[in-house]
Amino acid sequence: MTLKEYLKSKVFLVQVFVALTILFVLGYLFMHWLTFTTDHGNEITVPNLSKLNEEQVEEKLDDLNLDYVLLDSVDYNPGYPKHTVVEQDPMPGARVKKNRKVYIKINSSGFTMVRIPNLIEKTYRQAVPTLKSLGLEEGEITYKPYIGKDMVMEMHCNGKKLNPGDKIFKSSKIDLVLGDGNVGYEEQIDSLSTTTPNGQ
């Protein structure tokens, strides 16, 4: 029997069918084994842990066969209760496998304190970025006569005058008193000319 005749024979066709059937069965079994070992289809939806304290987080995740890792505490956020979850990873609604770790960050117990920098004689443009870099907020801006326009003359918080080095809570609003630039050189000369060497 020639090769051409063999390839057209019933025996060859049966062998090809058997080989394909074996490959199909092996592929089917392999996919089922893979699904079983990876626990496919048995994923867990990550719950929303926002504003839960650590004890509540542990209880909630234990019920779902999930674990958690506390990364650190973040600066106090008044929108969240103290010592509760502010951030989590994976996010709520994500699908994860059993025993997956959820990473959380906890709200600190209160505002941290920062020292007021020396902004006197600094320009407004210099002062505001400095305040923001320390976690402070820009408050009310007022002006009073001074030769240096938009230069910081005083700093206040809740009506109290601040001195460089004073400690205040982070996120506090700092009111700035700026020079209006309306006091000119001639006015200063006039003021000096009315003063005697003895100060009289």
Side-chain angles (χ1 to χ4, degrees):
M1 179 183 294
T2 64
L3 177 61
K4 186 175 181 180
E5 291 174 339
Y6 173 72
L7 294 176
K8 292 182 178 181
S9 67
K10 189 175 182 179
V11 173
F12 175 73
L13 295 176
V14 170
Q15 290 177 337
V16 171
F17 176 76
V18 171
L20 292 174
T21 302
I22 292 173
L23 287 175
F24 176 78
V25 171
L26 290 176
Y28 179 79
L29 292 175
F30 175 75
M31 291 302 296
H32 270 266
W33 173 81
L34 191 64
T35 299
F36 176 77
T37 55
T38 58
D39 204 24
H40 183 71
N42 293 320
E43 294 175 326
I44 301 168
T45 301
V46 176
N48 186 358
L49 305 176
S50 178
K51 298 185 179 181
L52 298 183
N53 60 40
E54 195 170 350
E55 184 178 344
Q56 292 170 323
V57 167
E58 184 174 6
E59 182 179 343
K60 194 164 190 173
L61 295 183
D62 278 348
D63 292 340
L64 297 172
N65 291 318
L66 296 175
D67 200 358
Y68 76 96
V69 176
L70 176 60
L71 295 178
D72 56 18
S73 57
V74 299
D75 288 338
Y76 180 65
N77 186 332
Y80 292 79
K82 297 177 182 179
H83 305 298
T84 62
V85 176
V86 176
E87 299 177 22
Q88 69 176 87
D89 181 34
M91 298 294 288
R95 304 282 292 175
V96 298
K97 299 292 189 293
K98 183 173 62 175
N99 297 322
R100 169 67 188 271
K101 288 183 173 62
V102 179
Y103 298 89
I104 61 174
K105 290 185 178 181
I106 298 292
N107 200 20
S108 64
S109 60
F111 288 109
T112 54
M113 302 288 286
V114 294
R115 287 186 181 277
I116 288 292
N118 187 1
L119 301 178
I120 306 302
E121 297 290 332
K122 302 291 185 182
T123 64
Y124 172 77
R125 288 187 177 183
Q126 293 174 314
V128 172
T130 301
L131 292 175
K132 290 184 177 180
S133 69
L134 295 171
L136 300 171
E137 298 181 15
E138 176 187 351
E140 184 180 352
I141 303 298
T142 56
Y143 291 87
K144 74 177 189 178
Y146 186 66
I147 190 172
K149 182 173 175 57
D150 290 333
M151 294 188 71
V152 177
M153 301 182 65
E154 297 176 12
M155 300 174 288
H156 297 263
C157 181
N158 297 322
K160 179 184 177 182
K161 185 176 180 180
L162 298 173
N163 296 310
D166 287 349
K167 282 188 173 183
I168 60 171
F169 286 118
K170 208 168 186 179
S171 296
S172 296
K173 287 189 175 182
I174 307 301
D175 300 326
L176 298 176
V177 178
L178 307 179
D180 61 8
N182 288 332
V183 177
Y185 178 75
E186 292 182 359
E187 290 177 88
Q188 287 190 327
I189 294 297
D190 291 341
S191 177
L192 291 172
S193 64
T194 59
T195 304
T196 64
N198 294 326
Q200 297 178 351

